[in-house]
Amino acid sequence: DAGVTQSPTHLIKTRGQQVTLRCSPKSGHDTVSWYQQALGQGPQFIFQYYEEEERQRGNFPDRFSGHQFPNYSSELNVNALWLGDSALYLCASSLMGFADTQYFGPGTRLTVL
Amino acid sequence: AQTVTQSQPEMSVQEAETVTLSCTYDTSENNYYLFWYKQPPSRQMILVIRQEAYKQQNATENRFSVNFQKAAKSFSLKISDSQLGDTAMYFCAFMKPSTIIQGAQKLVFGQGTRLTINP
C-alpha cells in the first residue's frame, strides 16, 4: 500500500522565482492538505483540496496556489519567492468523512537564496 | 480559533524510562479530534495516536497512551519503556470533524517538544 509521496525532495531557488511542488495521496484517499513548516516550528496550514477544488485556506497570500487533478494528486505553486518561503512543505492526505486522520508525506525542503 | 500549546520545548530521558509530554488546547467546540504526531530527523510526520473527544476512554497504542482531560483541555502523551527510536520532535494537534459542506478540517499544531532518549 503506497503511502503519501512528494517530489522533489529538495529544491533551491532564488528570490523572485516560481516553484511547483507535487504530492500523490495515499491509495484510496481523496483529500490533500498542504502545510508549511519553518525550522523549529509546528506546521502551518496552507490550503486543502477536495474534488479538484480548494475547500479551505489558511493565512497565506495569493502567491500560494494549488491544484488537484482527477487522480487526486496535487500541486502547490508559489510565485515571487522570497527568503521567508524557505521551509519544509508537507503534504497530507485523508479520506473525506472517514476517520478524519491525515497521513503525511516525507516533505519537500525548499531553500530560497 | 483553536490554539494548541506545548509547554516543554525539550525533554531528555534514559532508555527504558517512562516520559510524559504535555499539551493543552483552547476551543469552544464540543466534538473534535486530538492527535500526537512524531517527526524524527528523517522529517516524515508519523501518526502516533488519535483521540476522539466524545470518547471517555483514553486511547492506547502499544507503548503509547494518552491522558485526555476534556474539562481541563489537556491531552498528554505517555511513552512507556522508551526506546532510542523514540527520539524525535513530538507535535500535538487539534482538528474539528469534517463536514460535507466545509470539507475535511485542518490540523492545528503546537510548537512541538524535542524528545531525546539517551542510551
Side-chain angles (χ1 to χ4, degrees):
Chain A
D1 179 22
V4 181
T5 60
Q6 291 186 245
S7 64
T9 304
H10 295 92
L11 206 51
I12 299 175
K13 293 286 188 178
T14 57
R15 283 174 291 176
Q17 284 190 311
Q18 178 263 344
V19 68
T20 298
L21 311 182
R22 296 177 176 82
C23 171
S24 291
K26 183 178 168 66
S27 178
H29 284 183
D30 57 9
T31 301
V32 173
S33 303
W34 287 92
Y35 294 83
Q36 180 195 65
Q37 186 179 19
L39 197 61
Q41 303 292 317
Q44 298 292 316
F45 175 74
I46 302 174
F47 47 49
Q48 183 181 86
Y49 279 84
Y50 171 67
E51 292 187 331
E52 302 180 47
E53 292 184 358
E54 183 183 292
R55 290 299 188 101
Q56 288 199 63
R57 189 178 184 91
N59 189 26
F60 279 81
D62 292 343
R63 297 187 298 110
F64 289 76
S65 63
H67 188 76
Q68 186 179 34
F69 299 94
N71 67 352
Y72 307 117
S73 67
S74 177
E75 289 182 348
L76 163 64
N77 301 293
V78 186
N79 295 321
L81 286 167
W82 68 295
L83 298 180
D85 295 329
S86 294
L88 179 67
Y89 288 85
L90 296 167
C91 166
S93 75
S94 55
L95 180 59
M96 177 63 68
F98 180 76
D100 283 310
T101 297
Q102 296 186 13
Y103 295 89
F104 285 81
T108 294
R109 170 72 66 192
L110 172 65
T111 301
V112 183
L113 301 177
Chain B
Q2 290 77 28
T3 59
V4 177
T5 302
Q6 294 178 250
S7 59
Q8 304 151 310
E10 294 190 30
M11 296 189 72
S12 178
V13 298
Q14 297 299 118
E15 193 175 7
E17 289 185 344
T18 294
V19 60
T20 299
L21 308 183
S22 301
C23 172
T24 58
Y25 58 94
D26 185 26
T27 184
S28 59
E29 303 286 334
N30 186 52
N31 191 25
Y32 48 86
Y33 301 104
L34 294 165
F35 303 85
W36 279 97
Y37 282 90
K38 163 186 175 181
Q39 188 175 41
S42 66
R43 81 191 186 200
Q44 174 120 28
M45 194 76 77
I46 300 165
L47 177 67
V48 175
I49 202 165
R50 153 200 162 106
Q51 175 79 43
E52 292 90 345
Y54 62 86
K55 288 188 177 179
Q56 299 272 1
Q57 188 172 7
N58 289 323
T60 299
E61 288 288 341
N62 301 313
R63 298 182 294 107
F64 299 87
S65 61
V66 298
N67 183 4
F68 173 49
Q69 301 289 328
K70 191 173 183 179
K73 295 180 182 176
S74 170
F75 183 60
S76 61
L77 174 69
K78 185 172 82 171
I79 306 174
S80 303
D81 186 27
S82 57
Q83 301 175 358
L84 297 179
D86 295 332
T87 293
M89 282 290 289
Y90 285 80
F91 291 97
C92 177
F94 171 100
M95 186 168 68
K96 295 191 293 183
S98 63
T99 66
I100 296 299
I101 296 174
Q102 289 186 312
Q105 294 294 327
K106 65 181 181 182
L107 285 163
V108 177
F109 287 88
Q111 292 292 86
T113 296
R114 183 176 303 279
L115 175 64
T116 301
I117 310 299
N118 299 305

